[in-house]
Amino acid sequence: AKERARDLQQWQVHLGLSADNRYDAVDRWLEAQFGRLHELAVNGSMQLYLMQLASREQPRQGEIEPAQLSYIRNLVLVTADRSGFIEKSRVETVGANLPGQADVGLMLLDQDGKLLLSTPGIKLGREVENTVARVLKSKEPAIQDIYLGDSGQPLLGFVVPIFPLQVSKNEAAPIAVLV
């Protein structure tokens, strides 16, 4: 009986260490994801161009996209590609003009929660809309809890506010949100 109790205790210690190790790995991964988005959110060019876009009149249908938006789109696409926010296995190799669907990607929303741009195929789910509203109000980054995407796969969302250039977040509302 003593031997069995000792073995049980060794297994409990071993499982406890394994659980702590997995917890640390998940925590590091979450911090890395937020870190990548935060780097983009504090990019001076991103902040400056978003401020300029926010002060412009709404473009009319068919009007040429402003240069600021083109620059931001390229910056978001490159960041998404480098950071693994574009699912390489789902990239369409067919040269057809068909709409794609993606569970992984980045979106940039304005201060009203309206979509400015996104990586190909990604859509703003209802679950994420509530988190975006909460981040715009609280001015703090947040995690969208696990939910099922359109493909039926479980997803986790990261929402990071973007503030105007040279203004502390205590003094200003976010000018955009990165999802």
Side-chain angles (χ1 to χ4, degrees), residues 27-101:
D27 195 46
R28 283 191 306 272
W29 181 82
L30 290 171
E31 287 298 321
Q33 303 312 307
F34 268 124
R36 290 178 184 124
L37 294 178
H38 180 73
E39 283 177 22
L40 188 55
V42 297
N43 179 295
S45 296
M46 168 85 87
Q47 293 170 306
L48 177 65
Y49 290 156
L50 284 171
M51 288 170 55
Q52 290 174 352
L53 287 171
S55 65
R56 288 185 57 160
E57 291 180 14
Q58 290 297 322
R60 290 185 284 290
Q61 189 70 14
E63 191 174 300
I64 296 175
E65 178 178 270
Q68 296 95 329
L69 190 57
S70 295
Y71 177 86
I72 292 170
R73 181 183 316 284
N74 289 336
L75 185 61
V76 167
L77 287 172
V78 167
T79 301
D81 188 46
R82 287 183 184 165
S83 302
F85 290 115
I86 293 180
E87 196 171 4
K88 304 266 192 245
S89 65
R90 291 215 181 190
V91 174
E92 294 290 331
T93 56
V94 178
N97 191 14
L98 300 172
Q101 176 185 339

Side-chain angles (χ1 to χ4, degrees), residues 74-151:
N74 289 336
L75 185 61
V76 167
L77 287 172
V78 167
T79 301
D81 188 46
R82 287 183 184 165
S83 302
F85 290 115
I86 293 180
E87 196 171 4
K88 304 266 192 245
S89 65
R90 291 215 181 190
V91 174
E92 294 290 331
T93 56
V94 178
N97 191 14
L98 300 172
Q101 176 185 339
D103 285 332
V104 179
L106 289 180
M107 289 179 276
L108 185 64
L109 309 173
D110 67 11
Q111 65 268 21
D112 298 321
K114 294 180 185 153
L115 183 68
L116 289 173
L117 59 92
S118 68
T119 56
I122 193 78
K123 292 188 289 185
L124 182 62
R126 271 184 253 122
E127 299 86 354
V128 181
E129 286 178 358
N130 295 333
T131 304
V132 166
R134 192 173 74 235
V135 167
L136 285 168
K137 186 175 181 180
S138 72
K139 304 179 186 179
E140 295 293 330
I143 292 180
Q144 167 57 51
D145 203 3
I146 296 174
Y147 65 100
L148 289 180
D150 290 341
S151 68

